[in-house]
Amino acid sequence: MPSTTPIPIRNSMPNPKAMDELAIIRGIPLDEEPGLGALTLPGFLREVTSRFGPREALVFYENGVLHEHGARLSWSYGDLWEHANAVARALIARGTAKDERIGILMSNRPEWISACFGIALAGGVAVGLSTFSTPDELAALIDISGVSTLLAERQVAGKDFAAMLGQLGLSRLPYLTRVVMLGETEFESWEQFLATGHGADPTLVAARGHAVTPADPAMIFFSSGSTGKPKGIVNAHRGVNIQSWRWPRIYAMNAGVHVRTWAPNGLFWSGNFSIAVGATFAVGGALILQRTFDPAEAVKLMAAERASLPYCWPHQWAQLEAAEGWDEADLSSFHFFEPGQNLRRPQKSIKTDWIEPHASYGSTETFTISTSYPCDSPEDLWKDNSGE
């Protein structure tokens, strides 16, 4: 059984009169935290590729597993490394500078992952943009973050981003100089974009990735905007990667169960990226990508791909239970899942007795977790400490 000691993050609140109520969050010294690896995104990808090269890193169905033409796409870690480097070469060939902001506006698909790591390999900063954005919201996010290049998908859940960008015009997007888009549009295609990197000097590409430091900015993700307008939050490579290495310890992912993570919510939210991408890759697991959440599709996908870590929000579990095929689906592969916490009624194939982390807290500002008990902590421990 994992340790029941809370994950040791120390939160220090200085004298509010002296610091104007500024909260300073300090973690434990890095040499005291077990399980850490490389602390930059290029280093992280290099490390997991070296360790898990031929293993499956992600699986994706362009048209969905329920569609008659839903062909299965699978990338190994080696494939992911090559695709990410192709993005980096294209960005460098186009003159991308250190710390330049590159936006990603896509559903959960392989290109989102390769773009994110490719931007880091080129020395840039990945900006996760919400596919739920209205035209005005999208203009604000791009403007606030200073995105110069946008890597986008044309159509997501009924939205046509090519049309949206055309309506906004350059006067609303003064810093945006280049748009690359998946799908047929008047903008540069993904294939054309990658082709521009064929002549890039591989020595320069490698040097860019090695030059990134843990203190460099890695990502800009936006707060939810639940109490005001979304705010751009800059996360350094160190913070992003500490969380990626930390989650496997919290979830006890070294217990001999292969991690196959299904997470349908946007990778532009820190929790989804940190757990779905970071934790899964840290242990050589596979990410089961679903473009957007569709309950019936999700049930079929989780069963077909033998998901062991299903990660979504509470209201979505209610939709899954109501979806066609839920009661009959073989979900016996579920392991990192607490039925009593998530389901209103039992599902006959789900037998796991895993207990998810409780009394936990996190935020976009800390790139997810600030404090938590590990999984399988005794109930009396986390209930006593959570005030229940």
Side-chain angles (χ1 to χ4, degrees):
M1 177 176 291
S3 167
T4 56
T5 304
I7 298 303
I9 308 296
R10 292 196 288 270
N11 297 331
S12 174
M13 177 67 79
N15 183 331
K17 294 182 179 179
M19 298 295 292
D20 195 24
E21 299 185 358
L22 174 68
I24 298 176
I25 300 175
R26 294 189 179 93
I28 64 172
L30 295 184
D31 58 5
E32 293 181 16
E33 180 154 0
L36 298 183
L39 295 182
T40 67
L41 285 172
F44 177 86
L45 183 60
R46 191 179 302 111
E47 183 170 335
V48 297
T49 300
S50 176
R51 291 169 60 190
F52 310 119
R55 284 195 199 176
E56 185 173 67
L58 60 84
V59 60
F60 176 68
Y61 295 80
E62 177 70 56
N63 297 309
V65 71
L66 295 177
H67 196 280
E68 62 178 336
H69 300 298
R72 185 181 192 272
L73 173 68
S74 174
W75 284 3
S76 68
Y77 282 87
D79 293 332
L80 175 56
W81 174 259
E82 292 302 324
H83 283 283
N85 272 271
V87 172
R89 288 194 296 270
L91 289 171
I92 291 172
R94 293 298 185 86
T96 298
K98 179 177 172 57
D99 297 339
E100 190 169 337
R101 278 82 182 276
I102 312 297
I104 308 175
L105 180 66
M106 301 180 190
S107 61
N108 292 359
R109 54 183 304 123
E111 292 88 351
W112 204 111
I113 311 293
S114 63
C116 171
F117 284 105
I119 292 165
L121 284 162
V125 179
V127 181
L129 299 169
S130 172
T131 55
F132 293 99
S133 300
T134 64
D136 286 344
E137 289 169 341
L138 181 60
L141 299 182
I142 291 174
D143 184 43
I144 290 167
S145 57
V147 164
S148 60
T149 295
L150 178 63
L151 309 179
E153 182 177 5
R154 175 169 185 170
Q155 292 185 322
V156 180
K159 283 189 170 67
D160 187 331
F161 288 117
M164 191 180 292
L165 290 168
Q167 292 167 6
L168 289 171
L170 294 179
S171 62
R172 296 285 302 277
L173 307 168
Y175 301 109
L176 186 64
T177 60
R178 182 180 303 121
V179 176
V180 176
M181 194 160 284
L182 290 159
E184 288 192 25
T185 68
E186 69 276 19
F187 294 107
E188 182 180 6
S189 73
W190 188 254
E191 292 74 21
Q192 291 170 330
F193 166 66
L194 294 181
T196 63
H198 290 167
D201 184 348
T203 303
L204 175 59
V205 177
R208 284 281 190 101
H210 283 289
V212 175
T213 74
D216 286 338
M219 291 179 163
I220 297 176
F221 279 7
F222 286 84
S223 62
S224 62
S226 56
T227 58
K229 293 182 178 180
K231 298 173 179 62
I233 297 162
V234 182
N235 289 277
H237 284 266
R238 177 188 290 110
V240 171
N241 288 281
I242 285 175
Q243 301 291 42
S244 295
W245 297 117
R246 176 178 287 156
W247 277 114
R249 189 169 85 256
I250 298 174
Y251 270 58
M253 289 180 173
N254 58 351
V257 177
H258 187 49
V259 176
R260 294 185 64 81
T261 303
W262 167 80
N265 295 305
L267 296 173
F268 48 80
W269 283 308
S270 62
N272 295 316
F273 182 91
S274 186
I275 293 177
V277 178
T280 302
F281 288 177
V283 295
L287 181 57
I288 303 165
L289 291 167
Q290 184 175 16
R291 290 186 65 222
T292 57
F293 178 67
D294 176 277
E297 170 73 18
V299 173
K300 185 76 173 178
L301 185 61
M302 289 188 287
E305 291 297 334
R306 306 297 294 161
S308 60
L309 197 171
Y311 180 72
C312 68
W313 297 332
H315 72 279
Q316 292 171 318
W317 285 113
Q319 295 178 62
L320 288 166
E321 287 185 275
E324 181 181 355
W326 170 261
D327 291 325
E328 299 75 31
D330 179 4
L331 302 175
S332 57
S333 57
F334 280 18
H335 175 80
F336 305 97
F337 179 74
E338 186 175 346
Q341 184 74 12
N342 296 291
L343 304 181
R344 297 167 299 173
R345 55 188 174 83
Q347 203 277 2
K348 62 184 179 181
S349 70
I350 302 175
K351 305 296 185 183
T352 178
D353 58 1
W354 185 82
I355 297 175
E356 66 183 50
H358 287 270
S360 59
Y361 174 78
S363 65
T364 308
E365 286 80 358
T366 56
F367 211 76
T368 64
I369 203 70
S370 298
T371 185
S372 177
Y373 283 99
C375 74
D376 295 335
S377 297
E379 184 175 323
D380 59 347
L381 180 67
W382 54 260
K383 275 199 171 184
D384 287 347
N385 283 274
S386 64
E388 294 184 24

